[in-house]
Each structure stands twice: as structure tokens, then as C-alpha cells.
Amino acid sequence: MDDLDFMKHAIDQARTGLQEGGIPIGAALVHDGAVLAVGRNRRVQLGSAIRHGETDCIENAGRLPARTYHASTLYTTLSPCFMCAGTALLYGIPRIVIGENRTFEASEDLLRRHGVEVVVLDLQECKDLMDELIAAAPQLWNEDIGVEA
């Protein structure tokens, strides 16, 4: 399997999130060719301030040994915010594969400065999911990224 195959797990989560009325951002944590966990932005669904796609995925992975995180890749449909980047840095995840960063980008330089390999696939499918949400509910997107509209 390659990055596109693993990204499909994150995209499936993003689609599920949109169908649930949430923000269409999904993530998958992969170690040694196996998907350990998936997650999606569930701030709306759970009434949460912090359940972005990446944090939900890592929460769903549960407690893992540090060596597992240190040899894993995090797949996310959208470039991580600082909170999600910080979570990846805290657990020492060395590689993050991003579906798209045209809609939002804040932390990629930070991640690179800390030695994380950042790969941007620039997938139109990921961009289309975000465009659909932003057109339908711009206030929800602004809330998600902490912007007053």
C-alpha cells in the first residue's frame, strides 16, 4: 500500500463527518503498513472544543508505546492546525501526509523545523470536501479554526 491507499481511510472519515453534519476532516494513523486508528473532526457531533480529525484519531488509537508513535505516519485530509501539529510533535510522529493545504495551512513549517517529514498530496477530493462545507456553513468553519466572522 502507498500514501494514496492510506489516505483513503482518512477521506472516508472526512465524508462520514460531513454526512453527520460536522467538519469534513479525517485522519488515519499507520504503523508498519497497518492502520492503527482512524478519526474525524467531531467537534460538532460531540460538542467538543478539541476533537479535530487528528486528535480524534490519536484518541481512538488509545495508549500506545512511544516506539509505535515514533515509527508511524499520520494521514490527514487537511493541513494540521497548531493544536493537531502539537499533538503529533508531543508523541513524536515523524511523518505526516496531508491531503490538501490550499484551504488551510498553519503548522507545516513548525513541523518541518521539528524534523517531521511533511508530504502534501494536494488531492482535489480533499479540497472539494472542504469547499462543500465552507459554502454550506462558513460560520461552522470559522468556529473550527477560531476565527470571528
Side-chain angles (χ1 to χ4, degrees), residues 21 23 131-143:
I23 308 289
D131 288 348
E132 182 179 340
L133 177 274
I134 292 168
Q139 73 288 352
L140 189 58
W141 171 240
N142 288 333
E143 175 191 326

Side-chain angles (χ1 to χ4, degrees), residues 7 10 25-28 54 74-80 96-100:
M7 182 61 72
I25 302 169
E54 301 89 337
L74 181 63
Y75 291 83
T76 179
T77 57
L78 184 66
S79 188
I96 298 177
V97 178
I98 297 166
E100 71 102 348

Side-chain angles (χ1 to χ4, degrees), residues 3 8 11 17 28 39 45 54 76 84 87 90 94 102 105 140:
D3 286 339
K8 289 176 185 172
I11 292 170
Q45 298 92 315
E54 301 89 337
T76 179
C84 295
T87 302
L90 175 69
R102 289 177 282 154
E105 193 280 311
L140 189 58

